[in-house]
Amino acid sequence: MPVQTRPKPAKSATSKYHGLTERQLVQMYRTMLLSRRLDDREIQLKRQNKIYFQISGAGHEAILVAAGQLLKPTRSASRWE
C-alpha cells in the first residue's frame, strides 16, 4: 500500500532571500563590486606613490554592506528599498 504524503508548500521569494527583494540584492551586490573596484584603484595609486596610505577592505565587502544596511539611521531611508 503506497504512502501518501502532503505536498510541501512553495516557499515565497521573500523567504528564499531572507526578507530581501531581488532589487535589494542586486543593489547590495553592486555596492560590493564598487567597493572592490575602489580598493583595487587605491592599491594602484599607492604603488604609483600618488597616495600615502591605503586601508584595504578586500574580502570583507559582504559583511561591510550588511553592517551598513543595519547601521542606517532608519530602515525606511535605506537606498536598497
Side-chain angles (χ1 to χ4, degrees):
M1 178 172 196
V3 177
Q4 293 183 351
T5 59
R6 293 183 192 175
K8 294 182 180 177
K11 290 185 177 181
S12 67
T14 55
S15 66
K16 181 178 178 182
Y17 300 124
H18 301 285
L20 298 170
T21 65
E22 287 185 43
R23 183 173 181 266
Q24 289 171 317
L25 291 171
V26 169
Q27 199 61 34
M28 293 169 89
Y29 178 77
R30 291 183 69 180
T31 302
M32 289 189 293
L33 182 62
L34 177 63
S35 174
R36 176 60 68 101
R37 295 294 307 254
L38 284 171
D39 198 51
D40 291 344
R41 181 69 175 137
E42 290 171 351
I43 291 169
Q44 184 181 34
L45 291 171
K46 175 74 170 90
R47 289 182 182 153
Q48 296 171 357
N49 291 323
K50 293 183 177 181
I51 60 174
Y52 298 105
F53 69 94
Q54 184 260 338
I55 300 172
S56 180
H60 299 93
E61 293 88 355
I63 192 68
L64 295 173
V65 168
Q69 176 69 13
L70 292 174
L71 294 174
K72 294 283 183 185
T74 61
R75 300 278 304 204
S76 62
S78 171
R79 67 181 262 198
W80 292 304
E81 288 189 29

